[in-house]
Amino acid sequence: MKWRGRRGSGNIIDRRRMGGRVSGRRGVAVGGAGGFGLLAIVVVGYFLGVDLTPLLDEGQMQTGGGGEITAADDEAAQFVSVTLADTEEIWADIFQSELDATYDPAELVLFKGATQSACGGASAATGPFYCPPEERIFLDTGFFTTLERQLGARGDFAAAYVVAHEVAHHVQNELGVLDEVNAVRQRSDEATSNALSVRIELQADCFSGIWARRAEAMFGSLEPGDIEEAMNAAARIGDDTLQREASRTVRPDSFTHGSSEQRQRWFATGYERGSVAACDTFATDRL
Ligand SMILES: [Zn+2]
């Protein structure tokens, strides 16, 4: 992806040099340090993150050096800022042309190590997530290393897809989809709630595909291999793949994000068809 030297977003909140901010929260006893991480993931998992629970259970997560900011973190921060700016322009255009509405962009909080959100504590182990009541995305700049080294999703466009996916949850929030579906989830049994979560997530993947298509058309920012990087990332964070990699039994009724095949297919649907209407994962029998 061509991103160096391009315009960044004005909606970045950089908390990476505020390391002491959540020290009080860390002290809450919930079963030791690992317990805190697990609790955070369970809470955040409901709030639309990349689900890293299988990795955590296996003790495979390496949360890096906490608050230490590296050159790679700074590069990641610039990359995220440019990618976010692209999503703002793209969704403003789609809202106007396709939905006759105005897009109100999300803010994106960059942190390193740990921070606090209205959806619970965020740590390096939680993975990026969107917090609907705050209308903010939370992202630890160390996550891209996890994405590449532990999840096997290489390439800058894999990282851009993750940012676009979280932005897509904000788009769903703006469209009223999240409120509507979460209200139903709250009075549903677990299997039904999970199934609805999968539809939310696959729609976000489809929206990410729309974003990729527009980025190509509006900015010419895609390079050969970029779509393949996003498709590989979609496969690597599919629920069946994550469960299998963690040596767990693959249980489709426990899926909250969709299988690798589904995530790839819905990203591809968004990319190929390019319209919000093509991403109605709630109106199809075949996910
Ligand atoms: Zn998601």
Side-chain angles (χ1 to χ4, degrees):
M1 180 175 131
K2 294 172 200 154
W3 63 275
R4 283 177 207 281
R6 295 182 49 221
R7 186 180 65 85
S9 169
N11 289 307
I12 299 279
I13 299 168
D14 195 346
R15 289 189 193 160
R16 291 176 302 151
R17 286 167 177 89
M18 299 170 64
R21 191 180 168 87
V22 292
S23 56
R25 172 78 184 208
R26 267 188 203 142
V28 177
V30 284
F36 171 75
L38 184 61
L39 180 74
I41 283 187
V42 170
V43 171
V44 167
Y46 189 74
F47 289 98
L48 312 162
V50 175
D51 184 11
L52 302 178
T53 323
L55 289 179
L56 188 86
D57 284 359
E58 287 299 293
Q60 293 173 357
M61 271 303 293
Q62 294 154 15
T63 53
E68 194 188 325
I69 313 290
T70 64
D73 286 315
D74 280 332
E75 182 165 290
Q78 288 168 33
F79 173 82
V80 167
S81 181
V82 170
T83 304
L84 185 65
D86 285 357
T87 68
E88 287 162 359
E89 221 171 304
I90 286 165
W91 284 108
D93 189 62
I94 293 171
F95 269 56
Q96 200 177 33
S97 63
E98 206 178 323
L99 307 167
D100 195 23
T102 305
Y103 178 62
D104 185 14
E107 290 180 319
L108 191 151
V109 177
L110 290 173
F111 68 97
K112 186 75 197 284
T115 194
Q116 196 53 262
S117 86
C119 296
S123 79
T126 49
F129 65 95
Y130 175 66
C131 181
E134 271 189 277
E135 303 197 355
R136 281 177 175 163
I137 296 159
F138 289 79
L139 188 144
D140 185 316
T141 46
F143 173 73
F144 296 137
T145 308
T146 305
L147 189 68
E148 181 168 330
R149 294 196 193 152
Q150 291 179 261
L151 298 174
R154 285 173 210 299
D156 57 7
F157 211 71
Y161 153 68
V162 170
V163 174
H165 176 96
E166 297 307 330
V167 169
H169 285 314
H170 176 66
V171 170
Q172 291 175 309
N173 201 16
E174 289 281 289
L175 297 175
V177 172
L178 294 187
D179 278 348
E180 205 177 316
V181 178
N182 282 332
V184 178
R185 286 179 72 195
Q186 264 161 19
R187 45 176 200 271
S188 301
D189 60 38
E190 196 182 341
T192 307
S193 175
N194 287 344
L196 287 169
S197 172
V198 168
R199 288 180 192 265
I200 290 174
E201 295 297 337
L202 294 178
Q203 183 175 63
D205 283 334
C206 188
F207 286 177
S208 306
I210 296 178
W211 156 81
R213 180 194 179 101
R214 293 273 179 145
E216 193 168 35
M218 288 170 70
F219 312 114
S221 55
L222 270 67
E223 294 173 309
D226 276 351
I227 293 301
E228 288 74 15
E229 285 173 4
M231 288 288 276
N232 177 53
R236 300 300 306 175
I237 56 179
D239 288 321
D240 51 339
T241 300
L242 286 173
Q243 289 182 352
R244 206 174 292 118
E245 295 271 304
S247 310
R248 284 206 204 157
T249 309
V250 175
R251 282 182 44 224
D253 65 331
S254 73
F255 289 180
T256 53
H257 289 67
S259 70
S260 297
E261 186 275 326
Q262 288 173 320
R263 299 199 72 162
Q264 287 188 312
R265 185 156 41 75
W266 281 101
F267 178 87
T269 297
Y271 180 69
E272 283 157 19
R273 298 186 52 194
S275 78
V276 170
C279 295
D280 193 350
T281 54
F282 296 94
T284 179
D285 290 335
R286 194 193 166 225
L287 273 185

